[in-house]
Amino acid sequence: MSRRTIRSSRAKTATLVSAGALAVALNVAPSATAIADAIHKSGADSAVTLPNPNGVESAVGGDRDHGPRGDRGPKGDKGDKGDRGEKGKQGATGATGATGATGATGATGATGGRGATGGTGATGGTGATGGTGATGGTGATGSPEDTYILVSAPVVDDPTAPTADDTASVDCTGNDVALGGGGVSSTGSPLTASNPIGVVGNPASGWTVTRSGAGGTLTAWVVCGIIPG
């Protein structure tokens, strides 16, 4: 039997006893109806045989309908929180997982910006001296009849510009070539330039000299080689 059944039986008995005790105190025999009501209110579902004033027994309570069931009582308060349990032991180390597959190759990144210009490198060592080239063959000996000398007309220094340069030039005849040349200043002043005349890459055709203005005259001369015609 459950605790709820035991409590219900006790409540029914107490109700029945209370009704009987009240009747004795009042010296009044309780009627069958009063006792049946008491049993009904207590929730008894068994018939009770009671004597009536005439000595005739009657059964009450067995065939009467129960009243409506009462509302459910309010929910009890939440119990106190239990104590925290002990910390569990650390589990065993899991097995090492399998190696994952190699991922796909990523796309090529954008070209980086141009870096700063590096510093000047150290000067390299001096290279080894090259070997001496082979000596060229001796040219044919020219005869005195193959050359001649020409002299320019004297150039007089300009008295209105005594510090200006003076230049004298002389050319060979026809297609003859200049083999050498020079110049003479009547005052003995040095020449500042003495060069062949001609187009670069072609044989020289004359000679020119220059000096700083120093009075007197300047004369150029040239040694010409005859080109057979």
Side-chain angles (χ1 to χ4, degrees), residues 7-19 22 32-46 48 60-62 64-70:
R7 291 176 181 175
S8 176
S9 299
R10 290 177 180 175
K12 294 174 183 177
T13 304
T15 303
L16 182 59
V17 172
S18 298
L22 179 60
T33 301
I35 294 176
D37 289 339
I39 293 173
H40 177 69
K41 292 177 180 179
S42 66
D45 55 1
S46 60
V48 179
V60 296
R64 298 188 64 180
D65 296 333
H66 293 180
R69 186 172 182 177

Side-chain angles (χ1 to χ4, degrees), residues 180-193:
V184 176
S185 174
S186 63
T187 60
S189 60
L191 301 178
T192 58

